[in-house]
Amino acid sequence: MNRSTLRGRPRPAAALLAAAITVTAFCAADAVARSYPFGPRTRAVNDLGNQYVPFHAHLWDLLHGRADGGLLVNWQSGFGSSFLPDLGTYLSSPFALLVALFPRDEIDLAVYVITVLKTACAGAAMAWLLLRLRPGRWWAAGLLGSAYALCGWSLADASYNPMWLDGLVALPLLCLVGEWALCGRRRLLGVLVVALAWIANFYTAYMATLGAGLFLLLRLWLSGLPRRRALAAAGRATATVALGVGLAAPLVTVVYFGTKHAYPGRVTHFAPVATEDVLARLLPTTYGFGSPALFVGTTALLLALALPFHRAAPVRVRAGWSLLVAAVALSMQWTPTHLAWHAFATPNGSPYRQTFVLCALLVIAAWHTLSYGVPARRALAAATALLALAAAAASRSGLVHSYAWPVLLLATAGALGGLLLLRHTEAARSTAPTATRAGSRPGAGGGSEATGSGYAAGEDLAGTGSASTVGTGVVAAGSGSAAGGGPVGGTGVAVSGAGSDPAAGGVPAAGEGSEAIANGHAAARSGSAAGEGPAATGSVPAAGTGAAAGAGGRRRGVLVGLAVVLLVGAQVGEAAATSAAATRLRLNHLDDYAPWGDRQRSQSEAVSEADGWPAYRTDPGREQTVGNDPMVVGGQGAQYYSSLTADVLSRTLTALGDGWTSRGRNLQSLDNAVTDAIFSVGARVHSPPDQHQKWNPRDSTPVTVSRQDVPPLVTVRPAPAPGARTGVSAFGPSPYRNQELLLGTRVYTVPALTVRTADGEQPERAAGDRAGTVIEVPRTKGSGAQGSRGKTAAASRPSIAAQCPAGSEVYLWAPHYSGTARLTDTPARPLTGRFTADAAKIAAMQRLGTAPASGRVRIELSPTRAGTVPDGAVGCLDTARLRTAVQRLEETGADEVTVSDGTVRARLPAGSTGTAVLAAPRIAGWRCAADGAETKPAATYYGLVAVPLDGSATSVTCTFHPPGLRLGAAVGSASLLTLVLLGTLTAVRRRRSAHHPALRTAGTTATRPRERTTSAL
């Protein structure tokens, strides 16, 4: 791309450069860390593997017509979950649709590409915004745009939470919307941008909107507009946001009400981190899960720190941006403002999710520093001293590793070297003779740019003089002082209107007006090259100076090129090192999951062969790979992990003996014959433990499938007694009795237990709300003495003894026990039950095998940590009674069941009375009717969807409407109607103005003086 092209299109060039630097650094970091897809290490940590990849896999199935369910109901997860809130939370970004272009078994690669593209687009958007704020070097805007995209928050937090990256993209776009509102332009586009940002991810869009609001308030103050015009601009911005959020309301309200019906999970309280940890996160290669990732690159940080000392910038600009950065930084550490940033609820996990806003402000402050010329050596020295003080304070933090210091030193050397070279070229240019005749063609590297930004003139009112009009259509350039001091002499000329300030009352030039200025078009009109020095003088060079100027220009070009190499190299190097360090360190303390491979392929094939939906469900298995296995490998099971997991689903499955992690929002598969009958699980996949997880036992057994006769999805149960409770609150403490309550038949024997410690003694009783017996980890015999072979003597194990009917299936329910359990003294091959419990998870009920002919059951425990075994922990299932109950439900159940997205239709035997029960959780939004009667909110049958029957109905129909959808549709329609009316009124006014010239605003506004600007190259 040649330089003349760049002068005419600096914003696209800057955006492309920012995207290129971002992609290069991001991918190089993964290559260095040997992370997927450039190495053997998985990048699917925490929610990336558990939620985002599975949800994108489900979206792939939806887009290709292979999913069970649709936009309203996801029939694959949680026995039927509301999908629209999940869509609005995880998948509503336009980037998510790109998964359709990838093969199904490359879903991990698809999510990785989407992550890279989002990050690159964030850098491009920021680069575009920077050149919209003030003119300057296009490559510098691209460099700082990539600094924003590669900030610590993006690399350390959002890279494995891809939905948050939509907020990273949205923030500079929303700032652009504020700029448009400031000058009263592009109102429709502004509304659409706001709507798209809130649709893509309302959570981070909320934070980005707050950040953009602060940005606009500062811009209004710097513009020096009269109060009435400032209030009008603020009103336009408010209306734009209101209409945009209103257009997004159909999705936002659904997500909002979804959170209201979600399982509460953990309630956390904010505690600010230590100052040294905050300062440490400014440095490269630091990482901490609970601290703000403020890294933006050494170049951007030095420039932001230099702004208060940069005398070429107006005092109001220096004070305004510096104070805003400081205020936002402090707001992150104060509980009331912390809550305001997070919609008044401290999030589970990282409490600094608004950090990207502060990173953006640091980058914008850095741009304002550079756009007024490279800071003088004193300013750079002051910034370097501040950085050194911050590094010294951060050295006390445990987040700083030894390798951070060489990376910081190299990055600082590169940044300072590049900036000093640029400063040298500016000084050399200011002393070189230049040709400034209007329309003349400068030599290579000569000339200076005499353009102003659309609002830059307005924000420099405190430090610039007024422009005087010369002749007709010509204004004198450089009549003010860029630093707020004395005037800068100059006789150069520029086209009238090219430097006008719409925010301050100026009249833009024809066409783009003020945007042409920010793009550097005025420089092309005036014939000046994109220079780096101060305002050009109007003198004509003496004869013989052209060759010298050309040689000087070439030397300056070489130095500028070297400066670019140093700055870009420092940015790419430290960003790649920071990302690689975060990738490696995340694996040390977050759970991780393998990408799609042989295990998922085998599971998917087994599920596909056994699938019979909706005649029955196929559960992908108890030995899960990720928290959302059904969405990854197919099938329809209890497994479900979402921030919106319904409260009724979690409580119902917990009452039935299911286990969960993430404090109730990550439900597991429940391998139990009774619950399989209740939820119509006719096929179940059995896989070995996931060998990717190091704590699992080594097992190479093949994937198998077991089948069983189960009732249909819709069954008929006796009507409950008048006044009887039929909600989740009706469940008692025993999961065995709760299962019988839902089944309608007694099938379990729950015997008395005898629990012994490893020494054969009776253990202590548990205190508090966990009634039961305490199980301690046994100590080795002999106090650790070594045997003849140098091995510690084996310890005895705690045990549970009970009496079960011969031949019954033995189950153990111990939700707060961690370790293994195994039947002893049984002729049949026993199973090893594995239990895991801690503060954030409980263990699911496990089948251990068959009771011997004597009925005496002894369960040997191998605990890994202290836990409890509750009273009534053992259940003995009578399989014959269960078969009888299943046959009865099959005979009285639906003859035919059809399922389509959010609608279930069932044909019942004639004369059915009692209650029709749909084997799906009674989440909010279900409405049902018998035959053609009016639909009513569905009843509940111990947590399941129910429809009362009077004996005359032969069919039932249940439909699902997500709570909040109607309200959101009404708000969205009102916003759309308002937008159409406003657009119509605007069009009518323009037409009347075109036909009646006298109605146009009379008078002209003097063009504001041009500011000192830096080169476009």
Side-chain angles (χ1 to χ4, degrees):
M1 186 179 292
N2 60 45
R3 300 179 68 177
S4 61
T5 302
L6 295 179
R7 293 188 198 108
R9 301 176 61 83
R11 293 187 204 170
L16 288 175
L17 178 63
I21 295 175
T22 300
V23 172
T24 300
F26 197 98
C27 295
D30 289 329
V32 171
R34 302 186 69 209
S35 175
Y36 179 90
F38 302 103
R41 290 190 176 90
T42 179
R43 67 182 304 269
V45 299
N46 206 287
D47 290 346
L48 179 62
N50 256 335
Q51 290 182 303
Y52 305 121
V53 170
F55 274 111
H56 280 81
H58 187 68
L59 178 62
W60 191 100
D61 291 335
L62 279 174
L63 295 174
H64 290 84
R66 290 173 43 178
D68 294 327
L71 294 177
L72 299 180
V73 178
N74 169 17
W75 286 107
Q76 295 182 250
S77 303
F79 291 137
S81 58
S82 179
F83 182 63
L84 203 54
D86 284 331
L87 177 72
T89 302
Y90 302 105
L91 298 171
S92 52
S93 170
F95 291 93
L97 298 175
L98 296 176
V99 297
L101 304 179
F102 291 80
R104 179 63 165 75
D105 58 358
E106 295 288 353
I107 192 66
D108 297 274
L109 180 61
V111 173
Y112 180 82
V113 171
I114 289 172
T115 302
V116 175
L117 284 178
K118 285 184 179 182
T119 311
C121 287
M126 177 56 75
W128 194 285
L129 171 67
L130 296 180
L131 284 174
R132 180 67 176 83
L133 295 177
R134 283 189 51 79
R137 301 173 177 88
W138 68 271
W139 59 263
L143 179 69
L144 291 179
S146 69
Y148 167 70
L150 296 169
C151 66
W153 179 87
S154 171
L155 300 176
D157 295 332
S159 61
Y160 69 98
N161 292 280
M163 65 176 186
W164 294 354
L165 289 172
D166 292 288
L168 194 73
V169 179
L171 179 55
L173 295 180
L174 292 174
C175 290
L176 279 172
V177 171
E179 292 291 293
W180 297 337
L182 195 55
C183 62
R185 301 175 61 242
R186 298 181 176 175
R187 299 181 183 180
L188 174 60
L189 182 58
V191 171
L192 295 179
V193 168
V194 173
L196 186 60
W198 278 73
I199 289 173
N201 184 249
F202 82 99
Y203 184 58
T204 50
Y206 164 80
M207 302 175 192
T209 303
L210 291 182
L214 296 175
F215 168 90
L216 178 60
L217 289 176
L218 179 57
R219 293 288 286 164
L220 285 171
W221 180 69
L222 292 176
S223 69
L225 289 172
R227 178 177 299 178
R228 178 178 297 181
R229 296 186 60 194
L231 291 176
R236 286 194 297 269
T238 303
T240 299
V241 171
L243 289 174
V245 175
L247 290 180
L251 204 58
V252 174
T253 55
V254 166
V255 176
Y256 172 78
F257 282 98
T259 60
K260 292 299 181 182
H261 293 103
Y263 188 77
R266 179 181 64 169
V267 177
T268 58
H269 301 283
F270 174 69
V273 300
T275 302
E276 58 265 27
D277 289 343
V278 175
L279 295 175
R281 299 308 304 277
L282 286 167
L283 308 181
T285 71
T286 57
Y287 176 77
F289 182 74
S291 55
L294 295 171
F295 167 78
V296 289
T298 306
T299 300
L301 183 58
L302 282 173
L303 288 172
L305 293 175
L307 180 59
F309 312 101
H310 191 25
R311 295 187 177 183
V315 174
R316 286 164 64 97
V317 172
R318 287 185 275 163
W321 287 107
S322 300
L323 289 175
L324 181 59
V325 169
V328 172
L330 292 174
S331 73
M332 297 172 63
Q333 294 286 83
W334 188 39
T335 299
T337 47
H338 157 83
L339 292 173
W341 278 113
H342 295 92
F344 302 98
T346 297
N348 292 323
S350 173
Y352 292 98
R353 300 181 181 181
Q354 81 280 34
T355 304
F356 71 100
V357 176
L358 181 54
C359 293
L361 294 178
L362 283 170
V363 169
I364 294 173
W367 174 251
H368 277 80
T369 302
L370 193 59
S371 67
Y372 285 99
V374 178
R377 286 183 174 83
R378 288 185 178 180
L380 288 177
T384 305
L386 289 177
L387 177 59
L389 288 175
S395 64
R396 301 194 303 269
S397 171
L399 304 179
V400 180
H401 300 275
S402 58
Y403 48 77
W405 302 117
V407 175
L408 176 62
L409 290 175
L410 288 174
T412 303
L416 287 176
L419 292 175
L420 290 174
L421 282 175
L422 287 181
R423 177 71 184 177
H424 176 73
T425 60
E426 287 186 356
R429 182 184 298 275
S430 64
T431 59
T434 56
T436 58
R437 181 179 303 184
S440 66
R441 184 177 182 86
S448 69
E449 188 171 6
T451 63
S453 172
Y455 304 135
E459 72 183 20
D460 289 339
L461 291 179
T464 57
S466 60
S468 58
T469 304
V470 181
T472 60
V474 181
V475 295
S479 60
S481 170
V488 178
T491 58
V493 296
V495 179
S496 176
S500 64
D501 183 5
V507 181
E512 290 298 319
S514 63
E515 280 207 67
I517 303 164
N519 275 329
H521 292 174
R525 294 193 193 102
S526 66
S528 65
E532 288 131 347
T537 62
S539 62
V540 179
T545 63
R554 284 190 292 272
R555 286 193 297 271
R556 287 192 296 272
V558 172
L559 293 178
V560 169
L562 180 58
V564 172
V565 170
L566 287 174
L567 293 173
V568 172
Q571 174 69 34
V572 172
E574 63 179 333
T578 302
S579 180
T583 299
R584 294 289 295 273
L585 292 173
R586 273 197 300 266
L587 292 173
N588 294 335
H589 76 277
L590 294 179
D591 52 314
D592 60 271
Y593 308 90
W596 181 280
D598 293 337
R599 176 180 175 86
Q600 293 90 336
R601 188 175 298 106
S602 299
Q603 290 176 318
S604 181
E605 291 173 354
V607 168
S608 180
E609 292 176 1
D611 195 20
W613 175 260
Y616 59 85
R617 288 185 168 105
T618 300
D619 194 300
R622 176 78 186 88
E623 288 292 349
Q624 65 186 43
T625 306
V626 296
N628 278 304
D629 267 355
M631 285 190 273
V632 177
V633 300
Q636 312 83 27
Q639 272 188 283
Y640 180 45
Y641 179 27
S642 169
S643 298
L644 303 166
T645 301
D647 180 80
V648 64
L649 172 64
S650 187
R651 295 186 186 280
T652 299
L653 293 182
T654 302
L656 298 178
D658 197 13
W660 43 250
T661 63
S662 298
R663 296 175 174 84
R665 292 189 172 183
N666 187 348
L667 297 169
Q668 301 172 1
S669 174
L670 181 56
D671 189 353
N672 178 274
V674 178
T675 55
D676 282 353
I678 292 170
F679 290 101
S680 190
V681 178
R684 177 173 289 278
V685 177
H686 302 275
S687 304
D690 184 9
Q691 301 300 286
H692 176 77
Q693 308 300 344
K694 300 299 186 290
W695 57 81
N696 282 337
R698 300 300 93 185
D699 191 342
S700 59
T701 56
V703 174
T704 60
V705 178
S706 63
R707 299 175 184 268
Q708 52 273 343
D709 291 332
V710 292
L713 284 174
V714 178
T715 55
V716 178
R717 314 296 181 90
R725 293 184 303 164
T726 57
V728 178
S729 61
F731 286 128
S734 172
Y736 303 113
R737 298 308 179 210
N738 294 336
Q739 290 180 14
E740 293 172 339
L741 191 63
L742 262 177
L743 184 67
T745 305
R746 276 294 178 98
V747 292
Y748 281 109
T749 298
V750 183
L753 306 180
T754 300
V755 183
R756 297 296 180 188
T757 66
D759 298 326
E761 300 177 356
Q762 187 173 357
E764 297 179 356
R765 296 287 298 176
D769 58 350
R770 296 182 181 178
T773 305
V774 176
I775 301 296
E776 298 283 355
V777 178
R779 288 176 292 182
T780 59
K781 292 182 178 180
S783 301
Q786 300 296 311
S788 60
R789 295 188 178 181
K791 296 182 179 179
T792 304
S796 299
R797 295 183 174 90
S799 63
I800 302 173
Q803 186 73 29
C804 285
S808 60
E809 287 189 349
V810 179
Y811 286 86
L812 177 63
W813 170 65
H816 303 293
Y817 167 72
S818 288
T820 61
R822 186 178 180 86
L823 278 179
T824 61
D825 303 328
T826 176
R829 182 182 179 184
L831 304 173
T832 299
R834 294 188 296 116
F835 298 77
T836 304
D838 58 26
K841 58 175 71 76
I842 64 173
M845 179 187 296
Q846 297 277 344
R847 184 168 70 92
L848 300 183
T850 305
S854 64
R856 290 191 295 270
V857 173
R858 183 177 183 275
I859 302 173
E860 189 177 75
L861 304 176
S862 298
T864 56
R865 63 165 63 96
T868 59
V869 171
D871 299 331
V874 175
C876 311
L877 174 64
D878 188 328
T879 56
R881 288 186 180 181
L882 177 60
R883 283 194 298 269
T884 302
V886 168
Q887 290 173 0
R888 183 169 61 252
L889 291 174
E890 287 179 332
E891 292 170 356
T892 61
D895 297 326
E896 181 183 4
V897 179
T898 59
V899 179
S900 60
D901 194 4
T903 302
V904 178
R905 293 182 176 88
R907 183 162 52 85
L908 303 177
S912 296
T913 59
T915 302
V917 177
L918 171 62
R922 202 307 190 185
I923 57 180
W926 278 109
R927 299 179 65 87
C928 298
D931 282 344
E934 180 183 359
T935 60
K936 298 179 180 179
T940 180
Y941 186 82
Y942 305 109
L944 304 186
V945 178
V947 187
L949 302 175
D950 58 7
S952 62
T954 59
S955 67
V956 293
T957 301
C958 292
T959 57
F960 181 76
H961 299 280
L965 183 58
R966 289 187 176 90
L967 173 62
V971 174
S973 299
S975 298
L976 181 60
L977 179 61
T978 303
L979 192 62
V980 171
L981 291 176
L982 291 176
T984 303
L985 290 175
T986 301
V988 170
R989 288 179 179 177
R990 287 178 178 175
R991 186 161 186 167
R992 290 181 60 189
S993 177
H995 286 80
H996 302 281
L999 297 178
R1000 299 177 185 173
T1001 304
T1004 59
T1005 304
T1007 303
R1008 297 198 175 276
R1010 299 186 182 280
E1011 303 171 74
R1012 176 188 175 190
T1013 60
T1014 54
S1015 172
L1017 288 175

